[in-house]
Amino acid sequence: MIETLVNIDETIFQWINSDLSNTVFDAILVPFRHKMFWIPLYLFLILFISVNFNREKWLIFAMIGLTVLISDTSSSKIIKNNVERIRPCHVVELNPVSRVPCSQGYSFTSSHATNHFAIGLFFFGLFSFTKWKWLFIAWAGIIAFSQVYVGVHYPFDVLAGGILGILIGIMTLRLYRFLNKKIFITENG
């Protein structure tokens, strides 16, 4: 059973990493996975939250920090260090196309996927009043897909990271709503 799943994972990896290779994906997906690329978005979100959320903005910023702390720690420190799956870019038999330097860290789960889906889900719920909320899920999905495309993760790494991130995002969103109600609604009510 495990061997079958590994074979499926490797086959999908090779399809995404090699067979889908093209200059458009190279131009888009390689920079999309880099945190510096998203600085304008992060600055916009900080400004938007600061202007539109009044007193609860500090609670939102604290919850964003907590979300990243939980997601990154659970993926990078706990799961990766216990599973110890070698990254596909280090597996010569796969003949991976490495579009970015290959990290020495482990592969399962993808911290990029975990972190971005956790934050994406948190923002999805925070901005539930707008039709644009779906962009946060698409954003996380594109970043997760790009991790496979550039050769640093298997598809199941990003799938598991995405699921973990969604669960963490749901948890921190619920905690935010609970605290927001206790602190700000009770205070005003």
Coordinates of all heavy atoms in Angstrom, one line a residue, residues 63 66-67 69-71 74 118 121-122 164-179:
M63 N -3.2 37.1 16.1 CA -3.6 35.8 15.6 C -2.9 35.4 14.4 O -2.6 34.2 14.2 CB -5.1 35.9 15.4 CG -6.0 36.0 16.6 SD -5.6 34.9 18.0 CE -5.9 33.3 17.2
L66 N 0.3 34.0 15.7 CA 0.1 32.7 16.3 C -0.2 31.7 15.2 O 0.4 30.5 15.3 CB -1.2 32.8 17.2 CG -1.5 31.5 17.9 CD1 -0.4 31.0 18.9 CD2 -2.8 31.6 18.7
T67 N -0.9 32.0 14.2 CA -1.1 31.1 13.1 C 0.2 30.7 12.4 O 0.4 29.5 12.2 CB -2.1 31.7 12.0 OG1 -3.3 32.1 12.6 CG2 -2.4 30.8 10.9
L69 N 3.2 30.9 13.7 CA 4.0 30.1 14.7 C 3.6 28.7 14.8 O 4.4 27.7 14.7 CB 3.9 30.8 16.1 CG 4.6 30.1 17.2 CD1 6.1 30.2 17.0 CD2 4.2 30.7 18.6
I70 N 2.3 28.4 14.9 CA 1.8 27.0 15.0 C 2.0 26.3 13.7 O 2.5 25.1 13.7 CB 0.3 27.0 15.3 CG1 0.0 27.6 16.8 CG2 -0.3 25.6 15.2 CD1 -1.4 27.8 17.1
S71 N 1.7 26.9 12.6 CA 1.9 26.2 11.3 C 3.3 25.9 11.0 O 3.7 24.7 10.6 CB 1.2 26.9 10.1 OG 1.9 28.2 9.9
S74 N 4.7 23.2 13.6 CA 4.2 21.9 13.4 C 4.8 21.2 12.2 O 5.1 20.1 12.2 CB 2.7 21.9 13.4 OG 2.2 22.7 12.3
A118 N -2.7 27.9 6.1 CA -3.1 28.4 7.4 C -3.5 29.9 7.4 O -4.6 30.3 7.8 CB -2.1 28.1 8.5
L121 N -6.5 30.5 4.9 CA -7.8 30.1 5.5 C -8.2 31.2 6.6 O -9.4 31.6 6.7 CB -7.8 28.7 6.2 CG -9.1 28.1 6.5 CD1 -9.8 28.6 7.7 CD2 -9.9 27.9 5.3
F122 N -7.2 31.6 7.4 CA -7.5 32.7 8.4 C -8.1 33.9 7.7 O -9.1 34.5 8.1 CB -6.3 33.0 9.2 CG -6.5 34.0 10.3 CD1 -7.1 33.7 11.5 CD2 -6.2 35.4 10.0 CE1 -7.3 34.6 12.5 CE2 -6.5 36.3 11.0 CZ -7.0 36.0 12.2
L164 N -3.1 20.3 6.7 CA -2.6 20.7 8.0 C -2.9 22.2 8.2 O -3.4 22.7 9.2 CB -1.2 20.3 8.3 CG -0.5 20.8 9.6 CD1 -1.3 20.2 10.8 CD2 0.9 20.5 9.6
G165 N -2.5 23.0 7.2 CA -2.6 24.4 7.2 C -4.1 24.8 7.3 O -4.4 25.8 8.1
I166 N -5.0 24.2 6.6 CA -6.4 24.5 6.7 C -6.9 24.2 8.1 O -7.7 25.0 8.6 CB -7.2 23.7 5.6 CG1 -6.9 24.3 4.2 CG2 -8.7 23.7 5.9 CD1 -7.4 23.4 3.1
L167 N -6.5 23.1 8.7 CA -7.0 22.8 10.0 C -6.5 23.9 11.0 O -7.2 24.3 11.9 CB -6.5 21.4 10.5 CG -7.1 20.3 9.7 CD1 -6.5 18.9 10.0 CD2 -8.6 20.2 9.9
I168 N -5.2 24.3 10.9 CA -4.6 25.3 11.8 C -5.4 26.6 11.5 O -5.7 27.3 12.5 CB -3.1 25.4 11.6 CG1 -2.4 24.2 12.1 CG2 -2.6 26.7 12.3 CD1 -1.0 24.0 11.6
G169 N -5.6 27.0 10.3 CA -6.3 28.2 10.0 C -7.7 28.2 10.6 O -8.2 29.3 11.1
I170 N -8.4 27.1 10.5 CA -9.8 27.0 11.1 C -9.7 27.2 12.6 O -10.5 27.9 13.2 CB -10.4 25.6 10.8 CG1 -10.8 25.6 9.3 CG2 -11.6 25.4 11.7 CD1 -11.2 24.2 8.8
M171 N -8.7 26.6 13.2 CA -8.5 26.7 14.7 C -8.2 28.1 15.1 O -8.9 28.6 16.0 CB -7.4 25.7 15.1 CG -7.1 25.8 16.6 SD -5.6 24.9 17.1 CE -4.3 25.9 16.4
T172 N -7.3 28.8 14.4 CA -6.9 30.1 14.8 C -8.0 31.1 14.5 O -8.2 32.1 15.2 CB -5.6 30.6 14.3 OG1 -5.6 30.5 12.8 CG2 -4.4 29.7 14.8
L173 N -8.8 30.9 13.4 CA -9.9 31.7 13.1 C -11.0 31.6 14.1 O -11.6 32.6 14.6 CB -10.5 31.3 11.7 CG -11.7 32.1 11.2 CD1 -11.3 33.6 11.0 CD2 -12.2 31.6 9.9
R174 N -11.3 30.4 14.6 CA -12.3 30.2 15.7 C -11.8 30.9 17.0 O -12.6 31.4 17.7 CB -12.5 28.7 15.9 CG -13.4 28.1 14.8 CD -13.7 26.7 15.1 NE -14.6 26.2 14.0 CZ -15.0 25.0 14.0 NH1 -14.6 24.1 14.9 NH2 -15.8 24.6 13.0
L175 N -10.5 30.7 17.3 CA -10.0 31.4 18.4 C -10.1 32.9 18.3 O -10.5 33.6 19.3 CB -8.5 31.0 18.7 CG -7.8 31.6 19.9 CD1 -8.6 31.2 21.2 CD2 -6.4 31.2 19.9
Y176 N -9.8 33.4 17.2 CA -9.9 34.9 16.9 C -11.4 35.3 17.2 O -11.6 36.3 17.9 CB -9.5 35.3 15.5 CG -10.0 36.6 15.1 CD1 -9.5 37.8 15.6 CD2 -11.1 36.7 14.2 CE1 -10.0 39.0 15.3 CE2 -11.6 38.0 13.9 CZ -11.0 39.1 14.4 OH -11.5 40.4 14.1
R177 N -12.3 34.6 16.6 CA -13.8 35.0 16.7 C -14.2 34.9 18.2 O -15.0 35.7 18.6 CB -14.6 34.1 15.8 CG -14.5 34.4 14.4 CD -15.3 33.5 13.5 NE -15.2 34.0 12.1 CZ -15.5 33.2 11.0 NH1 -15.8 32.0 11.2 NH2 -15.4 33.7 9.8
F178 N -13.7 33.9 18.9 CA -14.1 33.7 20.3 C -13.5 34.9 21.1 O -14.2 35.5 21.9 CB -13.5 32.4 20.8 CG -13.7 32.2 22.3 CD1 -14.9 31.9 22.9 CD2 -12.6 32.5 23.1 CE1 -15.0 31.8 24.3 CE2 -12.7 32.3 24.5 CZ -13.9 32.0 25.1
L179 N -12.2 35.2 20.9 CA -11.6 36.3 21.7 C -12.2 37.6 21.3 O -12.4 38.5 22.1 CB -10.1 36.3 21.4 CG -9.3 35.1 22.0 CD1 -7.9 35.1 21.6 CD2 -9.5 35.1 23.5

